[in-house]
């Protein structure tokens, strides 16, 4: 296993790698090939990404520092050193976000007559309208909260926008007050952050914090306002669930969700003008280390851009909608006949997600369906799949669903659906002790004859969640199959999830914890052996993240033996490629474009008889050793060929692609190369492999 003493110079710190990924997303906000409002959306995405990273990853390292842990990460950082380095890098990214907003996006929006203005920039008629709006719509809801000896510092919730106010009593002729007091206003989350003014040329918007600031005197009559500063606050949002001691996981999650809201403050972003007095007061009251405070010029939370985009509604400034292809053989009641005849592979969102929903709907309404077994990790707010499962249970079918109530930031939604499904008669499993169930799989059992083998089993396995909304935004792979060997394996896996059963001797599938890592290591080592024997070798991997040191060690050895390795890693990637005599055979690309690359593909040359898999798992310790994940082979030759073409097309991308260099940094493609946009080609149902054969694979 890699340690800080062995090969650490070939690795990038995990958190710095993630920040580099968010930088690549941020670069899209400055890329003129995207429509203007989509560029604003990319900026908003980077803000939300960074917020979540602070609430989870930086918060975890902060806890390690507080516990005075001394262990080092694979790159040699102690928790204290790592916290210092990543805090500095995160602060630089915050400044970059706000600079792009002020210097690029705001002026470009103004050219399209979309104006985000300060109160002092409004025309008199606009100001008059806004004053009435404040009096009628905002003022009645606001609650000023004093902070003094009798009224303690108020609780400020996570992800809240607040105003910090310094005040003194209004002076009189006889006496001038020198005592300063503090008060706070938390901007209600049910008020619109962005206010559109109905008066003026074009579209004019103001932010609610600026409006409240303008009329703040109405809330503090008899006092003189010294300062009003906006700030955005984040708390540590990691759940701490003592699963061994909890007899009821659902209730434990619900309890911890309430506690999480009062987690330690992990970051405060304030306007640059915040006074030292207010800063010190917040540090003491929250309490908060000074290095957890970041100052920015402009709005303290750029996530408001999402609201702005919805209000603007100018079609030419957003992506033009495209029509995903519908696999007609998987729509309607004939879906079971199609799957019984042959496997079907779909790539979302280029292939419509309708067949996945249709499979569950048909199973729910089909008289021959006896049982449905399914895992749910993240679902939409109005999930048609959940509705179908409830309908199936009410119709008397045996329906078993594992709802992972520990899915981060979807805990409340999943708890709600788990309770609703139980009410409808579904047998609900909430997860396993100390493991998250991240596998995406469905097993449907139908009675199709009266003989010994009267049951036929149908399956869907995917790389993405059973969420029809995100399926329009994320690229994922779906496999529909009735393969008996896989059905036997999935039956074992579901028995493991629902009862006391240890899956042994799975025939073709592999599961984590441990099983996927073990199998991938064997496959990588087999390519090394093939290369040493002079046989055909090669490794092609597409995943969201790579930072497992065991897998990395096997990849380094494969590179040293001469195996050509192509890694399409969207986000975290901690292995430096193309280092002489170490990783010189490894090439790393990252695709960042209109759709979020989310599919996981693992392909091995196997001396000319490729072995290809799809999986729910990334190459991270949490996926390989602390979750239940699924790795499934693509055994149908047609489906295997389709998946190979998909990978080759993505590898050939020169428009959305970033190449990782040997020092761990990333660079855009050379503009001299042929322009290939893999996402556009998939939307047009074209493939690089069809037109250019394999010339792009490995061609730098």
């Amino acid at each position: 296993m890699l340690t800080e003493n062995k090969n650490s110079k070939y690795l990038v710190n995990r958190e710095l790698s993630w920040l580099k990924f968010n930088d690549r997303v941020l670069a899209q906000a400055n890329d003129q090939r995207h429509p203007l409002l989509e560029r604003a959306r990319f900026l908003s995405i980077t803000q939300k990404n960074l917020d979540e990273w602070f609430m989870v990853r930086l918060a975890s390292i902060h806890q390690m520092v507080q516990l005075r842990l001394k262990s080092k990460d694979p790159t040699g950082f102690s928790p204290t050193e790592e916290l210092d380095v990543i805090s500095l890098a995160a602060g630089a990214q915050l400044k970059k976000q706000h600079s792009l907003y002020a210097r690029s996006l705001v002026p470009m929006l103004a050219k399209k007559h979309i104006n985000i203005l300060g109160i002092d920039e409004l025309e008199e008629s606009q100001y008059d309208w806004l004053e009435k709006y404040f009096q009628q719509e905002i003022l009645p809801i606001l609650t000023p909260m004093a902070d003094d000896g009798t009224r303690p510092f108020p609780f400020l919730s996570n992800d809240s926008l607040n105003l910090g106010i310094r005040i003194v009593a209004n002076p009189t002729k006889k006496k001038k007050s020198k005592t300063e007091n503090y008060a706070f206003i938390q901007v209600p989350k049910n008020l619109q952050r962005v206010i559109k003014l109905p008066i003026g040329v074009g579209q004019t918007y103001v932010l609610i914090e600026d409006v409240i600031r303008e009329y703040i005197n109405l809330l503090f009559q008899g006092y003189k306002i010294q300062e009003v500063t906006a700030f955005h606050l984040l708390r540590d949002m990691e759940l701490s669930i003592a699963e061994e001691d909890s007899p009821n996981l659902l209730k434990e999650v619900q309890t911890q969700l309430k506690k999480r809201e009062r987690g330690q403050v992990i970051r405060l972003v304030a306007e640059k003008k915040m006074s030292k007095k207010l800063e010190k007061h917040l540090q003491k009251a929250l309490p908060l280390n000074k290095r957890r405070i970041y100052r920015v010029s402009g709005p303290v939370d750029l996530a408001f851009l999402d609201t702005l985009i919805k209000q603007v509604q100018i079609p030419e400034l957003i992506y033009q909608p495209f029509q995903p292809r519908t696999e007609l053989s998987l729509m309607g009641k004939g879906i079971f006949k199609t799957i019984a005849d042959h496997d079907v592979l779909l790539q979302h969102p280029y292939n419509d997600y309708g067949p996945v929903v249709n499979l569950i709907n048909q199973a729910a309404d089909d008289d021959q369906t006896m049982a449905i077994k399914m895992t749910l990790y993240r679902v939409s707010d109005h999930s048609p799949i959940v509705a179908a499962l409830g309908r199936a249970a009410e119709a008397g079918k045996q329906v078993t669903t594992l709802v992972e109530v520990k899915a981060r930031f979807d805990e409340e939604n999943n708890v709600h659906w788990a309770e609703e499904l139980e009410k409808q008669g579904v047998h609900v499993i909430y997860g396993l002790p100390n493991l998250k169930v991240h596998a995406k799989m469905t097993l449907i059992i139908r009675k199709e004859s009266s003989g010994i083998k009267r049951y036929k089993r149908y399956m869907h396995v995917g790389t993405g969640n059973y969420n029809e909304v995100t399926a329009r935004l994320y690229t994922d792979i779906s496999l529909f199959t009735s393969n008996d060997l896989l059905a036997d394996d999935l039956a074992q896996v579901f028995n493991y999830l629902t009862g006391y059963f240890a899956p042994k001797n799975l025939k073709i599938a592999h599961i984590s914890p441990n099983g996927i890592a073990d199998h991938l290591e064997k496959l990588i080592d087999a390519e090394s052996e093939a290369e040493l024997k002079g046989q055909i070798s090669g490794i092609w991997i597409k995943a969201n993240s790579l930072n497992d040191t065991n897998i990395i060690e096997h990849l380094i050895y494969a590179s040293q033996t001469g195996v050509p390795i192509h890694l399409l890693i969207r986000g975290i990637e901690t292995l430096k490629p193309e280092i002489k005599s170490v990783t010189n055979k490894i090439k790393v690309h990252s695709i960042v474009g209109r759709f979020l690359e989310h599919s996981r593909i693992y392909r091995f040359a196997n001396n000319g008889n490729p072995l290809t898999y799809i999986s729910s798992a990334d190459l991270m310790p949490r996926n390989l050793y602390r979750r239940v994940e699924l790795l499934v082979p693509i055994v149908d030759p047609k489906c295997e060929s389709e998946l190979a073409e998909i990978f080759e097309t993505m590898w050939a991308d020169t428009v959305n692609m970033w190449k990782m260099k040997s020092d761990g940094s990333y660079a855009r493609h050379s503009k001299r190369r042929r322009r290939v946009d893999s996402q556009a080609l998939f939307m047009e149902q074209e493939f690089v492999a069809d037109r250019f054969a394999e010339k792009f694979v490995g061609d730098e």
Side-chain angles (χ1 to χ4, degrees), residues 478-697:
S478 277
L479 174 68
F480 298 82
T481 181
S482 61
N483 182 288
D484 284 333
L485 296 178
L486 182 59
D488 289 342
D489 287 351
L490 292 197
Q492 284 199 55
V493 175
F494 275 109
N495 288 342
Y496 164 56
L497 297 178
T498 62
Y500 296 105
F501 185 87
K504 292 183 179 179
N505 302 317
L506 294 179
K507 297 174 181 176
I508 60 173
H510 301 270
I511 63 168
S512 64
N514 301 316
I516 292 177
D518 290 346
H519 188 62
L520 289 177
E521 289 169 6
K522 290 176 183 176
L523 290 169
I524 294 169
D525 291 346
E527 295 304 310
S528 299
E529 293 174 13
E531 179 66 27
L532 292 172
K533 293 176 182 178
Q535 298 175 343
I536 299 171
S537 69
I539 298 171
W540 300 265
I541 293 175
K542 180 178 186 291
N544 300 323
S545 302
L546 165 61
N547 77 312
D548 179 68
T549 52
N550 294 322
I551 294 292
I552 285 173
E553 190 170 61
H554 287 266
L555 289 172
I556 289 175
Y557 177 71
S559 172
Q560 291 173 329
T561 62
V563 179
I565 302 171
H566 303 81
L567 304 178
L568 271 170
I569 310 295
R570 183 197 76 210
I572 297 167
E573 208 290 294
T574 60
L575 175 61
K576 296 177 183 177
E578 302 186 61
I579 298 174
K580 186 177 180 181
S581 302
V582 182
T583 59
N584 55 296
K585 297 295 288 185
I586 299 176
K587 299 183 187 300
V588 178
H589 291 182
S590 172
I591 292 178
V592 182
R594 172 174 177 172
F595 304 112
L596 180 77
E597 293 292 337
H598 193 252
S599 55
R600 290 94 166 185
I601 302 169
Y602 300 94
R603 189 166 185 262
F604 304 87
N606 192 38
N607 194 28
N609 299 295
L611 298 173
T612 303
Y613 300 79
I614 62 171
S615 181
S616 59
D618 289 311
L619 300 176
M620 305 178 74
R622 70 182 189 191
N623 299 95
L624 299 176
Y625 314 115
R626 300 194 298 274
R627 288 183 174 183
V628 177
E629 304 272 12
L630 187 65
L631 178 76
V632 171
I634 305 298
V635 296
D636 182 279
K638 182 175 181 295
C639 292
E640 198 285 326
S641 177
E642 290 172 357
L643 209 53
E645 287 189 325
I646 287 170
F647 191 100
E648 289 171 8
T649 301
M650 289 186 290
W651 189 261
D653 196 308
T654 61
V655 173
N656 307 293
M657 180 270 284
W658 295 71
K659 179 185 175 184
M660 189 179 190
K661 298 192 290 186
S662 59
D663 63 357
S665 64
Y666 286 80
R668 300 298 296 264
H669 66 87
S670 169
K671 292 184 178 179
R672 294 190 298 272
R673 294 187 60 192
R674 185 194 301 266
R675 284 181 58 82
V676 178
D677 183 338
S678 62
Q679 295 191 348
L681 288 172
F682 289 138
M683 283 191 281
E684 297 164 7
Q685 203 173 2
E686 296 184 48
F687 293 86
V688 166
D690 292 339
R691 296 182 293 164
F692 307 128
E694 296 184 358
K695 63 176 287 188
F696 280 101
V697 177

Side-chain angles (χ1 to χ4, degrees), residues 426-497:
V426 175
H427 179 53
V428 179
I429 309 298
Y430 303 116
L432 298 180
N434 304 310
L435 292 172
K436 283 186 181 179
V437 179
H438 194 244
K440 282 77 177 182
M441 55 188 177
T442 300
L443 177 62
I444 296 167
I445 299 95
R446 298 180 81 230
K447 186 177 180 181
E448 296 188 354
S449 69
S450 58
I452 296 176
K453 293 185 177 180
R454 60 184 181 275
Y455 294 121
K456 180 76 174 176
R457 295 166 296 182
Y458 299 85
M459 290 150 287
H460 171 267
V461 175
T463 64
N465 298 301
Y466 286 109
N467 186 321
E468 76 287 350
V469 176
T470 56
R472 297 195 292 267
L473 306 172
Y474 297 2
T475 72
D476 273 304
I477 302 296
S478 277
L479 174 68
F480 298 82
T481 181
S482 61
N483 182 288
D484 284 333
L485 296 178
L486 182 59
D488 289 342
D489 287 351
L490 292 197
Q492 284 199 55
V493 175
F494 275 109
N495 288 342
Y496 164 56
L497 297 178

Side-chain angles (χ1 to χ4, degrees), residues 149-160:
T150 60
R151 291 165 292 188
F153 185 83
F155 172 72
L156 304 176
S157 63
N158 178 61
D159 195 19
S160 61

